[in-house]
Amino acid sequence: MEQISTGKPVQITVTDGYELRGSKGDTPVTFIRAEFNQAVLGDSAKITVSSEGTAKYNFTSSFEISPEGAITLYDLAQKPLFLTMFEVLPKEKKQKEEKTLILGQAVVDLLPLVEGESSFETVVPVHPVSGSPLETLQSGVKQCSLEVKVSVAEPLLTAAQILGGNLLKVTLEAAYSVPESFIPVGPMQNYVVGLQVPSGGEMEDESPLSFHGVAYVNMVPLLYPGVKRIRGAFHVYPYLDSTVYEKTKCLLSLFRDIGHNLIQNNKIGGITSPLSKPVISKNLKEDKIQASSIKSQSSDTPLETEPPLNNNPEGQNKLENIFLQQFVEAGTYIVLEIQLDKALVPKRMPEELARRVKEMIPPRPPLTRRTGGAQKVVSDYHMQIKSISRAILDEYHRMFGKQVAQLRGDIDSETLEEQKCQLNYELNCSGKYFAFKEQLKHAVVKIVREKYLKTTSFESQAELQAFISELYVFLVDQMHVALNQTMPDDVQRAVPTVYTSSEQLRLFAFEAEVNEDFETATVYYEERLVREPQNLEHWLDYGAFCLLTEDNSKAQECFRKALSLNQNHIHSLLLCGVLAVLMENYEQAEIFFEDATCLEPTNVVAWTLLGLYYEIQSNDIRMEMAFHEASKQLQARVTKQKSTGAVEYVEGRKVESSLGPLRITSGSSTAAFKVEAPTGEFLEEPTKLQSQSREPILSVLSQVPSISQKLSNLLVKETPAKRETLKCQDSLTFLQPAQIPTTIFMETIRFLMKVNAVQYVHRVLAHELLCPQGGPSCEYYLVLAQTHLLKKDFTKAEEYLQQAAQMDYLNPNVWGLKGHLYFLTGNHAEAKACYERTISFVVDASEMHFIFLRLGHIYLEEKEYEKAKKIYLQACKRSPSCFTWLGLGTACYRLEEITEAEDALSEANALNNFNAEVWAYLALVSLKAGRQLEAEQAYKYTRKLKLKDETLLAEIHMVQEMVGFGNPSF
């Protein structure tokens, strides 16, 4: 920032004082002393305070600021003006001189003058000193204050200087977790904080235990575009010259030069700096002894009886360790804010960027995709015929609509012929006939060029006539085809196409799969493949579906197609290996599994499947090798997760062992993170202040109720099967407070269950049961129950679910699966209780979609329509499908919320217009709304799609009879 060119006076006027009190009564005699830059500017006259507590001082003082003088513009920006209030005490007998008492002090910030203002007024509070009568004010009484006016003859900086300059503000808010040596046990202690850009903030106390620390502030974020502010918590480290020089390239401490001045001006004792001579008071012998004790206890400067630190590295290291321990043990940090008036690097505005993009690349409308060919031009001709026919029909209704309505459609041939003549006359006179010809001409020209390949002139008139005759016959025939395709819906408006995403199609296929509508599921899976044939995940999903239907050959085809798209895809390799084993093609299986372990040596499932393959081949040595490698990789992964706080899994559910990007451990005192605010600020905030950071942090075990109960079931079991012990000796990840145990076999089971490889799962379950680190667990019984549910072995499934519930009564997956069991066996009362218990848990079950659908279905059966509506709304919000919207629409219809029901049913119909039940309820809604045409159409599709619910069909007939329409057969 540029300095001003000539000296300019700054005038400070204290006009009034308010709420004043004295030690000798309510009307004391007071005066004001103005100080700036460690110099007294003057004292006001002695004014007696009125009974109302006010005083008229009208005291003016001034100082001059100039680039070459004692006070510069930088002093004005950095230093405040002090206004000290004194009380003149009454003279006692034989007292020659007046005595004064300091009541308090006010501080005036002169920064507005630096920011371009020529004058400003402010009311500043007077801060009472210890023991001042101003301290004893009762609550509700206003604080003592002074009214101050500051002015200059003209602005200190020109507009150009202000525009070209910048102002850096540094605010030190507080210091936290200071060492115990800071605690005052004797006289009052003072602390000094200085800033040395770009090194950071330094903090040094001046108590009998001298202390010198430094906090390093990275100011690079201020160079980010648009950033004007950084704020955060910064650790305080011991001041070591080598470290400071390495980070800041500064050889000396900021306090080396100012220490002596502070001592002389404030009379507060010695300030010592590392590797510098101590400042020793020459007034009292006691001070010398005190200074020596300072050095011997905390200073880096050696005593006379101690060897120099630079000649004794061990001694230096010991002292450095003393300093280090003070900071490390206390965890001291300061909260600091650095702010600029203007960003150092301006940030471009979005509007400017958009404008420049438009200048470089003008926006153009997207090009329509044009497809040629004979079929396309004929289709275009059909569209034009339909468009013209609609226009003619509209004209006919305009001319003869009332007449037709009066005759109720009973029109004789003579009247019809007369109407035809009048219509032709109107079309010719109005010019519409010519417009229709022009509209159709382009489509006919394209047919001539694309269909008949005629692009050159005809050689003779006869050839032309023959072609025209042929073309006329073709055009008339196609006109009839187009007119026959025209439906009443086409006359109204075109229905927008609802595009379903691949994720939605996957959900629809899964719904059909669970409902055992395998034909519909196949349609959805194949539609995904048609849309994105190069997406290998679609092939894997279809292959997993084929495994469920036990179509192994088709599943193998799908998995190999996926592998052909990416030969390095691990899951495709593993599934190809699994299918090869199931189809007893063992040579290929070994190749697939080994390739997977080579491509991804850390994959636990790949090594486990390879070991299972070797077991089938009775190759015990390689089997143990593969299992051991799988266990080693699992242990390495768990160790890494413990160190990084990664996500861990427990029985299909994720458990967070860390709080997002910030890991908070019980031994940490503070943590900082950075985030750029949209207002151009760069914040570096502490996640917890010291008072908060020492609160106990709950482990993951307290957050997952199933874990604490499972711990008692994870004891290592002895078994005589020595070979199983060898296979599984490393497969357990040792239990820690925030760690979830698992085995290589259970991880493999999860992978196989996800792809419906149930035939392979039982072999792995046997290993899990015999493995000392595994054994029966809640998840083990859940998998067994699920496999028996797929086989419709409900008795076994219920037995295993009872075992699972005994081991983990609070597991939502247990209750969800029990609900499915009772639902499939027709015990809807028990299913309802299980489903309600499942949704009441804080943690969701692994698959909530069908829990919501089936619970909503039960509510509808029991006529609890409000509950059904609530459940289906949740399902629609989570994963909308035709079934969720149908359930919601049904509940709303039963609640006589016709508008809401129609909206929900329309959503269901848009997602699947082949659902007969949706059309049935749309027919009911249309009947209740009095819309005859829509009711008849919905009823027509209900019958066409063969609605199976006879009760619902009978209800439609009853409503049709009640309203008198809706069934065309009446």
Side-chain angles (χ1 to χ4, degrees):
M1 186 177 289
E2 298 181 18
Q3 296 284 341
I4 52 180
S5 57
T6 59
K8 296 181 180 180
V10 177
Q11 288 192 340
I12 301 100
T13 302
V14 180
T15 59
D16 298 281
Y18 305 101
E19 307 298 333
L20 305 183
R21 296 289 185 274
S23 61
K24 300 298 182 179
D26 293 337
T27 59
V29 178
T30 61
F31 69 93
I32 304 297
R33 176 172 295 168
E35 299 175 78
F36 183 73
N37 197 26
Q38 300 180 358
V40 176
L41 303 180
D43 293 346
S44 71
K46 298 173 184 177
I47 305 297
T48 301
V49 177
S50 68
S51 58
E52 290 81 14
T54 62
K56 290 281 186 180
Y57 291 106
N58 292 323
F59 163 56
T60 301
S61 59
S62 65
F63 60 86
E64 190 175 87
I65 111 175
S66 64
E68 310 297 335
I71 300 177
T72 65
L73 190 63
Y74 293 106
D75 294 321
L76 207 64
Q78 297 174 9
K79 300 174 183 179
L81 171 74
F82 293 104
L83 299 174
T84 307
M85 180 180 293
F86 291 86
E87 178 185 1
V88 181
L89 300 177
K91 287 185 179 181
E92 298 179 358
K93 292 181 180 181
K94 299 181 181 181
Q95 181 179 336
K96 295 182 180 179
E97 296 181 358
E98 289 182 337
K99 290 185 177 181
T100 58
L101 175 68
I102 298 179
L103 296 177
Q105 192 175 64
V107 179
V108 180
D109 190 356
L110 302 178
L111 194 60
L113 298 180
V114 182
E115 295 175 335
E117 296 185 22
S118 58
S119 64
F120 66 92
E121 298 182 11
T122 181
V123 176
V124 293
V126 177
H127 303 284
V129 299
S130 179
S132 170
L134 300 180
E135 266 189 329
T136 60
L137 295 178
Q138 299 177 355
S139 60
V141 180
K142 295 182 180 180
Q143 185 179 5
C144 174
S145 58
L146 296 176
E147 186 173 347
V148 183
K149 297 180 180 179
V150 181
S151 64
V152 290
E154 59 183 22
L156 301 180
L157 293 173
T158 64
Q161 289 174 322
I162 295 174
L163 186 63
N166 208 338
L167 187 64
L168 177 68
K169 302 175 185 177
V170 181
T171 305
L172 178 64
E173 298 181 7
Y176 297 92
S177 301
V178 296
E180 292 183 0
S181 58
F182 274 46
I183 300 175
V185 293
M188 295 295 292
Q189 303 180 23
N190 296 322
Y191 302 93
V192 178
V193 177
L195 177 69
Q196 189 169 358
V197 179
S199 65
E202 296 187 357
M203 181 170 62
E204 178 179 345
D205 73 50
E206 299 172 17
S207 67
L209 295 176
S210 295
F211 188 94
H212 195 173
V214 59
Y216 300 101
V217 182
N218 180 16
M219 300 178 68
V220 171
L222 289 178
L223 296 178
Y224 297 168
V227 175
K228 298 188 293 185
R229 172 176 173 261
I230 58 175
R231 179 182 180 275
F234 304 94
H235 278 290
V236 178
Y237 300 96
Y239 188 98
L240 301 174
D241 278 350
S242 58
T243 307
V244 172
Y245 179 75
E246 179 184 351
K247 292 181 177 291
T248 68
K249 307 306 178 187
C250 296
L251 292 173
L252 302 177
S253 167
L254 174 66
F255 295 111
R256 179 185 294 272
D257 298 327
I258 68 172
H260 182 70
N261 293 332
L262 289 173
I263 297 168
Q264 297 300 322
N265 294 328
N266 300 324
K267 306 295 184 181
I268 57 175
I271 299 178
T272 58
S273 177
L275 302 181
S276 62
K277 293 183 179 181
V279 179
I280 301 176
S281 173
K282 299 181 180 180
N283 295 329
L284 297 174
K285 183 177 181 181
E286 182 182 353
D287 290 342
K288 295 183 180 179
I289 299 174
Q290 187 182 45
S292 298
S293 67
I294 293 172
K295 293 185 292 183
S296 63
Q297 291 184 24
S298 63
S299 175
D300 282 350
T301 307
L303 293 172
E304 294 180 0
T305 58
E306 296 175 345
L309 292 181
N310 54 0
N311 294 331
N312 186 359
E314 294 184 1
Q316 182 178 2
N317 290 337
K318 289 181 181 178
L319 288 176
E320 289 178 358
N321 289 334
I322 293 174
F323 278 101
L324 181 62
Q325 287 303 317
Q326 292 184 67
F327 288 110
V328 172
E329 292 176 1
T332 307
Y333 63 94
I334 59 175
V335 178
L336 187 70
E337 177 181 279
I338 301 176
Q339 186 173 6
L340 291 163
D341 274 359
K342 293 177 288 188
L344 296 176
V345 180
K347 187 177 182 179
R348 291 178 179 174
M349 300 300 293
E351 296 80 7
E352 179 189 356
L353 294 173
R355 178 181 56 80
R356 296 193 64 178
V357 170
K358 287 183 179 181
E359 290 175 356
M360 294 185 293
I361 307 174
R364 296 184 179 90
L367 297 176
T368 57
R369 185 176 179 181
R370 300 183 182 275
T371 56
Q375 185 176 0
K376 178 63 168 62
V377 298
V378 173
S379 176
D380 291 343
Y381 176 72
H382 288 172
M383 291 178 59
Q384 297 300 328
I385 290 293
K386 293 176 183 179
S387 175
I388 294 172
S389 65
R390 293 191 193 103
I392 295 175
L393 188 60
D394 291 340
E395 187 67 20
Y396 177 82
H397 280 294
R398 185 185 66 80
M399 295 176 64
F400 309 109
K402 293 182 180 180
Q403 182 181 356
V404 173
Q406 291 174 357
L407 297 175
R408 297 185 177 179
D410 187 14
I411 303 176
D412 55 27
S413 58
E414 292 182 1
T415 304
L416 192 61
E417 186 65 27
E418 182 181 353
Q419 290 178 349
K420 179 180 177 181
C421 293
Q422 293 180 15
L423 179 61
N424 287 332
Y425 177 79
E426 178 64 23
L427 292 176
N428 280 281
C429 291
S430 63
K432 293 181 180 179
Y433 181 77
F434 178 76
F436 291 155
K437 286 201 305 181
E438 290 297 317
Q439 180 180 346
L440 200 59
K441 181 167 65 175
H442 183 64
V444 174
V445 170
K446 289 197 296 183
I447 288 177
V448 172
R449 292 177 177 176
E450 299 292 336
K451 176 72 176 177
Y452 290 95
L453 305 178
K454 295 292 185 180
T455 57
T456 58
S457 301
F458 292 94
E459 296 181 356
S460 63
Q461 188 68 22
E463 184 181 357
L464 174 60
Q465 290 298 327
F467 175 74
I468 291 176
S469 299
E470 181 184 0
L471 177 62
Y472 177 78
V473 172
F474 176 79
L475 293 176
V476 171
D477 290 341
Q478 292 301 317
M479 178 188 70
H480 289 300
V481 171
L483 293 176
N484 290 334
Q485 292 175 350
T486 303
M487 298 291 292
D489 289 343
D490 297 333
V491 177
Q492 298 175 6
R493 60 182 177 85
V495 179
T497 303
V498 177
Y499 180 79
T500 52
S501 64
S502 294
E503 290 76 14
Q504 286 179 305
L505 290 175
R506 174 68 183 89
L507 175 62
F508 302 162
F510 180 59
E511 288 179 330
E513 182 181 308
V514 175
N515 292 329
E516 298 186 354
D517 186 1
F518 297 136
E519 183 179 351
T520 302
T522 302
V523 170
Y524 285 126
Y525 280 121
E526 290 180 349
E527 184 174 347
R528 295 176 82 212
L529 293 176
V530 170
R531 288 188 182 183
E532 298 177 274
Q534 301 301 313
N535 191 321
L536 61 84
E537 294 296 335
H538 296 351
W539 289 102
L540 294 181
D541 289 340
Y542 192 26
F545 167 72
C546 295
L547 272 179
L548 180 67
T549 59
E550 298 183 353
D551 190 348
N552 290 350
S553 59
K554 200 166 189 178
Q556 184 183 49
E557 181 183 347
C558 292
F559 294 148
R560 295 198 173 194
K561 177 64 177 179
L563 187 59
S564 67
L565 296 174
N566 182 1
Q567 295 187 352
N568 295 329
H569 192 253
I570 300 299
H571 284 185
S572 300
L573 278 169
L574 295 178
L575 291 174
C576 285
V578 169
L579 262 296
V581 171
L582 293 178
M583 301 181 75
E584 299 183 354
N585 194 341
Y586 297 114
E587 281 189 33
Q588 293 184 4
E590 183 177 15
I591 293 172
F592 289 134
F593 290 141
E594 286 191 355
D595 192 18
T597 57
C598 291
L599 286 173
E600 194 172 318
T602 60
N603 192 297
V604 175
V605 176
W607 285 109
T608 307
L609 288 176
L610 181 60
L612 292 170
Y613 162 77
Y614 285 133
E615 183 192 35
I616 296 173
Q617 298 297 306
S618 301
N619 192 335
D620 293 346
I621 296 176
R622 291 196 176 186
M623 175 192 67
E624 292 176 5
M625 176 273 300
F627 287 155
H628 178 80
E629 187 65 27
S631 302
K632 185 176 74 173
Q633 296 302 329
L634 180 60
Q635 183 64 44
R637 189 183 68 193
V638 170
T639 303
K640 183 178 180 181
Q641 287 174 346
K642 285 168 55 181
S643 62
T644 59
V647 178
E648 306 198 7
Y649 293 82
V650 51
E651 303 192 355
R653 287 170 289 156
K654 292 184 180 179
V655 178
E656 294 287 348
S657 59
S658 67
L659 301 179
L662 293 181
R663 300 195 307 278
I664 303 179
T665 60
S666 58
S668 64
S669 60
T670 183
F673 64 95
K674 297 180 180 179
V675 61
E676 187 169 356
T679 57
E681 298 180 355
F682 192 88
L683 307 179
E684 185 170 344
E685 298 282 6
T687 57
K688 297 280 185 181
L689 294 180
Q690 183 66 14
S691 59
Q692 298 171 325
S693 63
R694 291 182 178 176
E695 296 178 358
I697 298 175
L698 299 179
S699 66
V700 177
L701 291 177
S702 63
Q703 301 173 15
V704 185
S706 64
I707 300 175
S708 57
Q709 199 166 15
K710 187 177 178 182
L711 292 179
S712 60
N713 303 315
L714 290 173
L715 300 176
V716 177
K717 299 176 175 59
E718 295 294 335
T719 176
K722 184 177 181 181
R723 192 174 73 174
E724 292 296 333
T725 303
L726 290 175
K727 291 186 290 186
C728 305
Q729 60 184 354
D730 294 321
S731 62
L732 175 66
T733 56
F734 297 102
L735 182 61
Q736 298 295 336
Q739 181 176 333
I740 310 305
T742 187
T743 66
I744 60 174
F745 301 115
M746 188 53 70
E747 186 158 332
T748 305
I749 288 169
R750 294 168 191 158
F751 169 76
L752 294 173
M753 288 298 295
K754 185 178 179 181
V755 296
N756 300 320
V758 181
Q759 304 169 56
Y760 215 94
V761 165
H762 288 285
R763 178 180 294 275
V764 193
L765 281 171
H767 283 277
E768 175 69 14
L769 181 62
L770 296 175
C771 179
Q773 292 83 9
S777 64
C778 179
E779 187 176 8
Y780 170 81
Y781 286 119
L782 278 175
V783 173
L784 274 176
Q786 193 171 354
T787 58
H788 284 85
L789 271 180
L790 291 174
K791 297 177 181 179
K792 302 296 176 58
D793 187 352
F794 300 127
T795 304
K796 280 287 187 181
E798 185 174 11
E799 177 185 339
Y800 291 131
L801 283 174
Q802 293 297 339
Q803 294 286 342
Q806 290 178 8
M807 303 195 74
D808 190 354
Y809 193 75
L810 300 178
N811 191 325
N813 286 324
V814 174
W815 293 101
L817 204 56
K818 287 184 73 173
H820 293 329
L821 170 67
Y822 292 129
F823 186 88
L824 294 174
T825 55
N827 190 347
H828 286 188
E830 288 294 333
K832 173 185 173 182
C834 292
Y835 287 147
E836 288 177 337
R837 183 185 292 267
T838 304
I839 64 176
S840 67
F841 285 112
V842 175
V843 180
D844 285 341
S846 57
E847 178 50 63
M848 294 294 294
H849 185 71
F850 273 93
I851 292 175
F852 285 130
L853 285 181
R854 288 174 173 174
L855 180 57
H857 177 78
I858 294 172
Y859 283 148
L860 288 177
E861 281 186 341
E862 298 181 355
K863 299 183 179 180
E864 297 183 79
Y865 301 127
E866 283 290 351
K867 290 184 178 180
K869 178 182 176 181
K870 181 179 178 181
I871 287 296
Y872 281 121
L873 272 173
Q874 292 186 53
C876 291
K877 188 175 181 180
R878 284 169 168 259
S879 48
S881 68
C882 174
F883 290 107
T884 62
W885 288 114
L886 171 60
L888 179 60
T890 303
C892 292
Y893 174 78
R894 297 304 178 190
L895 292 169
E896 297 185 357
E897 298 172 356
I898 303 301
T899 303
E900 291 82 355
E902 184 176 12
D903 291 340
L905 292 169
S906 298
E907 291 290 337
N909 188 260
L911 294 174
N912 181 8
N913 57 5
F914 288 94
N915 190 301
E917 192 172 351
V918 174
W919 285 110
Y921 276 102
L922 281 172
L924 287 171
V925 168
S926 300
L927 289 170
K928 288 292 182 71
R931 298 196 294 267
Q932 180 176 352
L933 180 60
E934 294 179 12
E936 290 180 356
Q937 286 183 338
Y939 177 70
K940 176 183 68 176
Y941 284 110
T942 302
R943 299 302 300 266
K944 183 178 180 180
L945 295 171
K946 300 178 181 179
L947 177 66
K948 297 178 182 179
D949 191 341
E950 295 295 334
T951 304
L952 182 58
L953 190 60
E955 181 181 0
I956 295 175
H957 291 157
M958 181 185 68
V959 177
Q960 287 172 342
E961 292 178 0
M962 184 173 60
V963 299
F965 62 85
N967 190 342
S969 62
F970 283 173

